[in-house]
Amino acid sequence: MTSAPDSRRTRPEGFPQTGPAPELVESGFAIENADASFLHRGLNLADLAHVLDLARRAIVPPDAERALLALLLEVTGIPAEDFPYDPEFGEPYNSRERFFVARIGDVAGWLHAGRPRREAARVALRLHLRRQLTELVTEAVATALDTVARAEEHAGTLLPDQTYLQQAQPSTFGHYLLSFVYSTVRDARRLLDELDVLNQSPGGAGCVNGTRLLEDRDPIAAVLGFDGVIPHTRDAMWQVDGLIHILATVASLLSNFSKLAEDLEIFSSSEFDFVDLADAYSRSSILMPQKRNPYALSIVRGASGVVIGRLTGFLAVTKSPSARSDNLIFAYGEVPRALDLSLRITRLMGGVVRTLRVNPERMRQELDRGYTQATDLAEHLVQLVDVDYRTAYVVVGNTVREAARLGIPGGGITGEMVDAAALAHTGRSWGLAGTDLSAVLDPRAIVASRQAEGGAAPAALERMTTTLRAQLRDLAAQAEQRAAGFEKAELALVAAARAVVDGGARR
């Protein structure tokens, strides 16, 4: 006896019987096709690897294998902008399928064996991003090396270093610049670490639980130059945390450059006149003839905000339940665009630093006018007079206040002035009348005293630049080695496909 039909099952099953609504085409499919250029090359490689793997397992017939590979090799030579991607047909994969079927008929259907379309896109995204990551590391290293070179050049250029835009302590412009290199090094290392995570293959994962057609996922990973496979098939299809980490790191990289750009914009103002951008990185005012604006710095600062926005937007998208397409539909464009923007801004920042004109005279003039020696004077009094630092701090602070009232710069403070402040605060004179404080108040002597690790003294700075150069060379070598490995694997894959096609033609 058969059971009666379930009256509750009224929803349609199976794929849609009509074409997409124009609103869907103009929004969703148009967005996805706008990202096709990022995936095109990787989709071709993913398809080549899949067909070769099916043939290795004797799943696809030899004639179909050769027909597919010949067509894929042809498409591999077509630039993305010349391929007929059309949102009217759906996402980019649908345009490819339509093109393949038009050329070789249902033989193209072998591409679907054991693999959903999203798997091809997941592979393609990783192939594209890994090249972007190695290129970005290479450019970050180049910019960092430019900054190291300028730091070495200005190891002796005195600077009134600042906190809160207030003069803090005597330092050098070289020491100041070097502080931005360390952050760049850390971010470059993070990018290589994230490359290790990214360079794992989702191939053979199917939709959520693999496929009976592929019992071993390693061969596809190997021919595509992946280091291994993502262990869990569902995770392989739907993970986004690695993409979040990539966006967070490039946001950090550009945030570091933005800090330097904001400082340089202030330093290049007529009020400071510490530095000046080269003409090539400036822009004139269309109205005010005297103005030459540091335009490149605005681009750096704005781009940092854009990348932070991309990170925030992607986080908002990916907080949905698991196994949702919206997690990755937008990733195909957002992540590559963020990396591309970061690459261009990194190059721009390198050019700014490399060509920056520095005005040591103005820096020294402001240093001599201010009171950046105050901390060293207080520390000297702790040792000389045997008082606690808090008492020395108050006495020096009151001395500086009186000196400023009288128009006496920090280098002109005398023992008599300190004695007067000490008497007022502690009730006794410290006996400093006639004491020569010039060595304690000399900015160059103060800088020379900073011999400890990380200090601004020439020897300390030289130790840092030597170490940084070695670290940066190592990072560049790692990026170059990884990029060369990817290129080698991808060329070998294309050659293997061509050998199959050529072998069939000879027969």
Side-chain angles (χ1 to χ4, degrees):
M1 184 175 68
T2 59
S3 60
D6 187 347
S7 61
R8 292 173 299 175
R9 293 184 61 81
T10 59
R11 65 185 301 275
E13 300 288 349
F15 55 82
Q17 298 299 302
T18 64
E23 297 89 350
L24 179 59
V25 172
E26 293 169 5
S27 55
F29 293 148
I31 290 172
E32 291 193 72
N33 276 266
D35 300 337
S37 60
F38 302 124
L39 302 178
H40 179 74
R41 183 173 170 280
L43 286 171
N44 293 330
L45 294 170
D47 285 348
L48 289 171
H50 184 59
V51 172
L52 288 172
D53 196 51
L54 291 174
R56 186 179 66 84
R57 301 171 195 278
I59 294 173
V60 60
D63 288 345
E65 176 197 12
R66 287 191 293 272
L68 275 167
L69 292 177
L71 181 57
L72 288 169
L73 288 171
E74 177 187 336
V75 173
T76 299
I78 300 175
E81 60 271 20
D82 294 334
F83 189 83
Y85 290 111
D86 189 339
E88 289 288 341
F89 306 137
E91 62 183 280
Y93 192 92
N94 297 111
S95 291
R96 291 171 63 83
E97 181 183 39
R98 186 182 180 90
F99 180 84
F100 295 155
V101 170
R103 292 289 301 274
I104 60 176
D106 288 343
V107 171
W110 284 106
L111 281 172
H112 305 319
R115 188 187 68 164
R117 59 183 157 195
R118 73 173 58 91
E119 181 184 307
R122 305 291 196 264
V123 170
L125 179 64
R126 287 170 181 264
L127 296 181
H128 184 79
L129 293 181
R130 72 185 187 183
R131 282 178 171 255
Q132 285 188 296
L133 286 176
T134 56
E135 191 174 6
L136 181 55
V137 170
T138 299
E139 290 298 332
V141 166
T143 296
L145 286 171
D146 285 334
T147 310
V148 168
R150 297 310 305 272
E152 290 172 327
E153 178 186 348
H154 291 283
T157 300
L158 293 176
L159 167 78
D161 207 346
Q162 302 177 357
T163 63
Y164 295 94
L165 266 183
Q166 306 297 312
Q167 290 193 9
Q169 289 182 297
S171 187
T172 67
F173 190 62
H175 186 264
Y176 161 82
L177 282 179
L178 216 56
S179 66
F180 297 94
V181 177
Y182 282 92
S183 181
T184 305
V185 168
R186 291 191 295 271
D187 282 331
R189 284 192 184 126
R190 291 184 188 107
L191 290 173
L192 288 176
D193 289 342
E194 284 143 18
L195 177 60
D196 290 338
V197 175
L198 179 78
N199 200 46
Q200 303 295 315
S201 173
C207 179
V208 294
N209 196 26
T211 170
R212 68 171 63 245
L213 299 180
L214 306 178
E215 76 283 355
D216 181 3
R217 297 170 55 209
D218 291 327
I220 288 179
V223 298
L224 287 168
F226 286 114
D227 296 327
V229 300
I230 300 170
H232 193 286
T233 54
R234 193 175 194 270
D235 178 54
M237 279 297 95
W238 300 103
Q239 64 171 253
V240 293
D241 56 293
L243 303 179
I244 292 170
H245 288 184
I246 289 170
L247 288 173
T249 300
V250 297
S252 173
L253 180 70
L254 263 60
S255 176
N256 179 48
F257 294 151
S258 180
K259 288 181 176 66
L260 176 57
E262 291 203 38
D263 284 357
L264 294 179
E265 186 169 307
I266 293 167
F267 288 172
S268 66
S269 66
S270 57
E271 289 76 13
F272 273 76
D273 194 26
F274 286 180
V275 300
D276 197 17
L277 266 66
D279 283 350
Y281 295 93
S282 305
R283 188 173 73 170
S284 62
S285 165
I286 201 66
L287 176 67
M288 296 164 277
Q290 84 283 5
K291 286 180 87 268
R292 193 167 57 87
N293 300 319
Y295 180 69
L297 303 180
S298 296
I299 297 299
V300 173
R301 293 168 54 206
S304 174
V306 168
V307 172
I308 290 170
R310 291 191 187 278
L311 168 62
T312 305
F314 191 60
L315 282 168
V317 168
T318 59
K319 67 178 183 63
S320 65
S322 67
R324 296 297 195 276
S325 291
D326 50 354
N327 282 351
L328 283 138
I329 284 174
F330 294 94
Y332 296 136
E334 290 300 297
V335 182
R337 286 188 177 91
L339 283 169
D340 179 66
L341 179 60
S342 300
L343 178 65
R344 284 181 281 155
I345 295 304
T346 300
R347 286 175 177 154
L348 176 62
M349 200 68 226
V352 167
V353 170
R354 193 168 53 250
T355 61
L356 190 70
R357 292 191 288 266
V358 181
N359 189 347
E361 293 78 16
R362 273 291 299 140
M363 293 181 183
R364 181 60 195 256
Q365 189 179 62
E366 285 300 309
L367 192 59
D368 290 341
R369 192 174 67 84
Y371 300 92
T372 56
Q373 310 95 328
T375 301
D376 279 76
L377 178 57
E379 290 176 348
H380 177 67
L381 294 175
V382 167
Q383 296 174 303
L384 182 66
V385 187
D386 194 24
V387 295
D388 67 275
Y389 185 79
R390 179 65 185 172
T391 299
Y393 169 92
V394 172
V395 168
V396 170
N398 290 336
T399 303
V400 167
R401 181 178 290 276
E402 180 63 11
R405 188 184 70 81
L406 296 173
I408 299 172
I413 290 175
T414 64
E416 287 80 1
M417 295 171 67
V418 175
D419 265 349
L423 180 63
H425 181 65
T426 68
R428 67 181 182 89
S429 171
W430 287 354
L432 297 174
T435 301
D436 183 8
L437 298 176
S438 59
V440 180
L441 300 175
D442 178 18
R444 191 167 295 281
I446 291 172
V447 168
S449 72
R450 298 321 200 251
Q451 297 286 345
E453 183 176 359
L461 192 135
E462 183 180 2
R463 290 193 298 269
M464 286 188 283
T465 57
T466 299
T467 300
L468 282 169
R469 283 188 178 278
Q471 292 173 343
L472 290 165
R473 283 194 299 268
D474 180 62
L475 289 169
Q478 290 184 55
E480 182 181 358
Q481 182 181 21
R482 299 303 299 276
F486 300 150
E487 180 73 9
K488 181 179 178 181
E490 292 169 10
L491 289 174
L493 171 59
V494 173
R498 197 170 301 283
V500 172
V501 173
D502 291 346
R506 283 194 292 273
R507 288 198 299 272

